[in-house]
Amino acid sequence: PFVVWVGFNEASQIYLCDLRRNGGSGGCMESDEKHQATNYTSLKSNVDIRGHFLVWQDHARGNWDVVICDLRKNGYDGGCLADDAKMFVTSDLLDQVEPSVDGRWIVWEDHRGDAGDIYGYNLLRGVEVPLVTREGRQSRPVVRRSFVFFEDNSDGNSEIKELSLRDGVVRNLTNSGHDEIHPSVDHHLLVYETSRFGVSSIVVLDFQSNATRFLKLRDREYNPSIFGKRIVFESVVNGTKRVFFDRCL
């Protein structure tokens, strides 16, 4: 139960807090002392945490690279304390962005070839693997268990697709003819943003029942994220941007 973020007003450092420690050092309440994971100045963005691994994209070398640290190694090289040396997963001169981690794999959007492909790094084997390389742009990957979920515009509009890391099979999860973007996955639930109603709105897909639910339509809903049965998303209501959460019952 960690919360992670980039403090853009403080040399772009990464911070995290633990909801289990609320009221003490490392907790997430406003007065709690937060955990600082980095201490060097560079642009950092798109932080993801899963288990004891923390990943982000980092511009320290003049282009975007994927960086990882391991909470189990705190105090040593590869750890997540501010003074620990971090591991740069990628080193190509072109950008690698939008990283996601699940404890066994890191995946990201890679621009060394064309508009965007999906690459991965197997944490158990220590090897980099091209996962989806095809025409068009494959972007915003999310890795959960043995699957990678991503956007693909190779059919003319953006759809959500699923890659099996077991056999390499890719299948469509959406096929509406409208843009379906920003996938987020937890357990058997996928949430994403759709334009099928002429305005951005949030869809929830249950893999177990194959049921689809649409959140209450507001002026605009976008950037969804799911953890457990809670969905957090941004919305514009009467011209004002707000953050909402909903429950998947």
Side-chain angles (χ1 to χ4, degrees):
F2 291 98
V3 178
V4 295
W5 68 95
V6 178
F8 286 109
N9 60 335
E10 298 179 10
S12 188
Q13 305 299 353
I14 294 176
Y15 296 86
L16 66 155
C17 62
D18 188 338
L19 293 167
R20 296 168 299 185
R21 297 184 177 182
N22 281 358
S25 178
C28 295
M29 299 183 69
E30 185 176 6
S31 59
D32 296 343
E33 182 181 358
K34 307 303 186 295
H35 177 109
Q36 184 173 334
T38 60
N39 68 354
Y40 57 93
T41 301
S42 68
L43 290 175
K44 305 174 187 72
S45 185
N46 291 326
V47 186
D48 187 33
I49 189 168
R50 180 66 55 155
H52 44 260
F53 290 110
L54 174 64
V55 298
W56 64 92
Q57 64 184 68
D58 199 306
H59 210 266
R61 297 176 173 177
N63 65 288
W64 289 112
D65 288 306
V66 175
V67 181
I68 185 172
C69 65
D70 186 339
L71 291 165
R72 298 172 302 178
K73 297 181 178 180
N74 282 359
Y76 301 91
D77 286 352
C80 296
L81 295 182
D83 293 330
D84 296 342
K86 304 303 187 289
M87 175 183 172
F88 279 71
V89 179
T90 61
S91 59
D92 194 87
L93 295 179
L94 297 178
D95 290 335
Q96 288 83 45
V97 298
E98 303 279 355
S100 173
V101 66
D102 78 338
R104 292 173 292 179
W105 284 87
I106 309 169
V107 298
W108 63 86
E109 175 185 337
D110 198 294
H111 289 269
R112 75 186 72 180
D114 54 15
D117 296 311
I118 306 299
Y119 276 64
Y121 183 86
N122 188 312
L123 288 164
L124 301 179
R125 299 178 181 177
V127 295
E128 180 185 289
V129 183
L131 297 174
V132 184
T133 56
R134 56 174 63 182
E135 294 295 322
R137 181 183 180 187
Q138 292 79 51
S139 58
R140 294 192 178 102
V142 178
V143 60
R144 294 293 179 262
R145 299 181 181 178
S146 298
F147 298 94
V148 180
F149 305 86
F150 61 96
E151 297 175 25
D152 189 334
N153 71 358
S154 59
D155 298 324
N157 62 289
S158 292
E159 301 286 359
I160 306 298
K161 297 187 179 182
E162 172 197 83
L163 164 71
S164 170
L165 291 170
R166 294 175 180 147
D167 55 21
V169 173
V170 175
R171 70 183 182 108
N172 277 55
L173 297 179
T174 65
N175 192 23
S176 70
H178 299 274
D179 285 336
E180 321 268 273
I181 59 175
H182 286 121
S184 180
V185 181
D186 198 41
H187 296 291
H188 58 94
L189 297 173
L190 164 70
V191 298
Y192 58 92
E193 179 183 335
T194 182
S195 65
R196 71 179 70 178
F197 302 110
V199 62
S200 297
S201 55
I202 305 300
V203 184
V204 184
L205 172 64
D206 188 325
F207 293 121
Q208 291 182 344
S209 64
N210 206 33
T212 299
R213 182 170 76 91
F214 299 90
L215 300 191
K216 180 180 179 181
L217 291 176
R218 299 171 176 82
D219 289 355
R220 183 188 175 200
E221 300 167 342
Y222 54 100
N223 291 337
S225 181
I226 186 169
F227 183 80
K229 293 187 177 182
R230 290 181 173 86
I231 304 171
V232 178
F233 58 95
E234 297 178 61
S235 181
V236 177
V237 179
N238 297 324
T240 302
K241 182 186 292 187
R242 299 179 181 177
V243 175
F244 291 84
F245 81 92
D246 203 335
R247 291 181 62 87
C248 299
L249 300 178

